[in-house]
Amino acid sequence: MAPRANWKGFLRLSLVTCPVALYPATSESEKISFNQLNRQTGHRIKYLKVDADTGEEVSNEDIVKGYQLEKDQFIEVSKEELEEIALESTRTIEIDEFVDKSDIDPRYLIRPYYIRPDGKVGHDAFAVIRETIREMDKVAIGRVVLTNREHIIALEPMDKGLVGTLLRYPYEVRSEHEYFDEIQDVKVTKDMLDLARHIVNQKAGSFEPEKFEDHYESALIELINQKRTGKPIVPKDRPKGENVVDLMDALRKSVGAAAAKTEAPKKPAKKTKKAAAAQKEMLMPIAGKKLAKEAVAKKPASGARRKSA
């Protein structure tokens, strides 16, 4: 199924305009999610919207937005009133300026979107805007309205399209001073820095997202498969942290450990599968023919419930 656009409108650089669509560049739908169940019946929990005072259920058409002035005092704002203050950025991403990527503080980054031309027209204008950003080696800054709020968006070329990253406003970013001011001023000796640099050099590499594994997600899959096959769940030992008494000694031991790990023969890298495909493969079948037969013969494992008719 073709991806569904989160937003459609126009991208504009001065008088150059083209229709575009925004698509989420990331997804968490492949991760395992849980439903809340009634422990007694195994049925799913259902949430209702109720009046806080009467306790009666309220239908969606009777629900309006309200801003709280003080306790039990609200100002109601209708959908029509919100539409009246609609901004130009509701339908158009206007490029306001171009900046160096290094100027953007990482704390301001929220989430990325893919941007491509919408439909068969406007590809020429889109290409002009994309290649201008690429040629200037800059990041284009504009504004866009998503989920009824205006966001700053940073645009960068990627292959034949653009990546737009939503940015936070200054009031959304907390000051570091309230967290860092109480950190003690410590003088780090040259010997310590030399040893630490040596560790860094031993661990130096290039960022390859494919080699990272979500260990918690893998543990969840293992837990669910164990419960499906009726295997006992054995708690694993938690790692214990140790206080560092001699920092220089700890650094020296770290250098030796890193060197030993580097010299150890490396296993051939396994081919990674897409997260969604790997998850389905692990969750759906019960591993092994023998286990499958045993699972059929057994009653439902503890923790597994059948939906009642």
Side-chain angles (χ1 to χ4, degrees):
M1 183 180 293
R4 185 177 178 180
N6 275 30
W7 182 93
K8 288 188 176 184
F10 296 90
L11 176 62
R12 183 162 64 203
L13 173 61
S14 190
L15 298 179
V16 180
T17 306
C18 60
V20 294
L22 268 68
Y23 300 85
T26 60
S27 170
E28 294 196 355
S29 62
E30 291 80 11
K31 288 187 174 182
I32 289 177
S33 60
F34 293 100
N35 292 304
Q36 292 187 325
L37 307 177
N38 181 337
R39 187 194 299 272
Q40 304 298 325
T41 65
H43 300 160
R44 288 183 59 182
I45 300 298
K46 182 180 180 181
Y47 288 94
L48 302 176
K49 295 178 180 179
V50 299
D51 188 297
D53 289 337
T54 66
E56 296 178 356
E57 185 176 356
V58 182
S59 60
N60 287 332
E61 57 266 24
D62 290 328
I63 297 177
V64 296
K65 295 181 182 292
Y67 175 80
Q68 185 171 352
L69 290 176
E70 53 186 68
K71 187 177 180 181
D72 298 327
Q73 185 178 358
F74 300 87
I75 293 179
E76 291 186 9
V77 181
S78 68
K79 181 180 179 181
E80 291 73 25
E81 289 171 330
L82 290 173
E83 289 176 351
E84 286 177 3
I85 64 169
L87 304 168
E88 176 67 16
S89 50
T90 303
R91 293 289 297 152
T92 302
I93 300 175
E94 177 80 41
I95 296 177
D96 295 325
E97 61 179 350
F98 294 85
V99 303
D100 292 331
K101 188 172 184 178
S102 59
D103 289 345
I104 301 176
D105 189 320
R107 292 176 296 176
Y108 285 80
L109 305 179
I110 300 179
R111 74 182 71 88
Y113 288 85
Y114 293 135
I115 303 175
R116 73 182 189 190
D118 184 30
K120 297 181 179 179
V121 300
H123 285 247
D124 291 346
F126 182 86
V128 169
I129 295 173
R130 180 195 65 213
E131 293 309 309
T132 300
I133 301 172
R134 196 193 308 272
E135 179 69 21
M136 299 298 292
D137 194 23
K138 296 281 188 179
V139 175
I141 303 295
R143 288 160 286 121
V144 63
V145 172
L146 287 172
T147 61
N148 298 322
R149 297 302 295 265
E150 185 179 57
H151 298 271
I152 310 167
I153 187 167
L155 307 174
E156 300 175 76
M158 174 179 281
D159 195 18
K160 296 190 293 183
L162 292 170
V163 173
T165 304
L166 298 188
L167 304 178
R168 295 182 174 89
Y169 288 98
Y171 69 84
E172 297 179 282
V173 178
R174 294 175 175 174
S175 171
E176 69 277 11
H177 297 298
E178 58 183 300
Y179 303 97
F180 297 164
D181 281 352
E182 295 181 7
I183 298 177
Q184 298 177 11
D185 292 325
V186 177
K187 183 175 178 58
V188 180
T189 67
K190 183 179 181 302
D191 290 342
M192 289 182 177
L193 281 176
D194 288 342
L195 285 170
R197 286 196 196 96
H198 192 60
I199 296 171
V200 172
N201 288 332
Q202 288 175 317
K203 291 178 173 288
S206 56
F207 180 64
E208 300 173 23
E210 296 79 10
K211 68 183 179 184
F212 292 99
E213 178 188 351
D214 187 340
H215 296 289
Y216 184 74
E217 187 77 4
S218 298
L220 281 178
I221 292 171
E222 182 181 357
L223 172 65
I224 291 171
N225 281 338
Q226 286 179 336
K227 292 181 75 69
R228 288 185 61 180
T229 57
K231 290 183 179 179
I233 307 301
V234 181
K236 295 181 180 179
D237 294 332
R238 292 180 177 272
K240 297 180 180 179
E242 298 179 358
N243 292 328
V244 177
V245 179
D246 188 330
L247 187 55
M248 282 296 291
D249 183 55
L251 286 167
R252 291 191 188 97
K253 288 180 179 178
S254 297
V255 170
K261 190 173 181 179
T262 304
E263 293 171 2
K266 292 184 179 180
K267 296 180 180 179
K270 295 181 179 179
K271 291 184 179 179
T272 56
K273 300 180 180 180
K274 289 185 178 179
Q279 187 186 95
K280 290 177 182 177
E281 183 181 342
M282 295 181 73
L283 279 177
M284 297 306 294
I286 297 175
K289 294 181 180 179
K290 183 178 180 181
L291 287 177
K293 291 179 181 178
E294 291 176 356
V296 172
K298 287 183 179 180
K299 294 179 180 180
S302 62
R305 298 178 182 273
R306 295 184 180 275
K307 186 175 180 181
S308 58

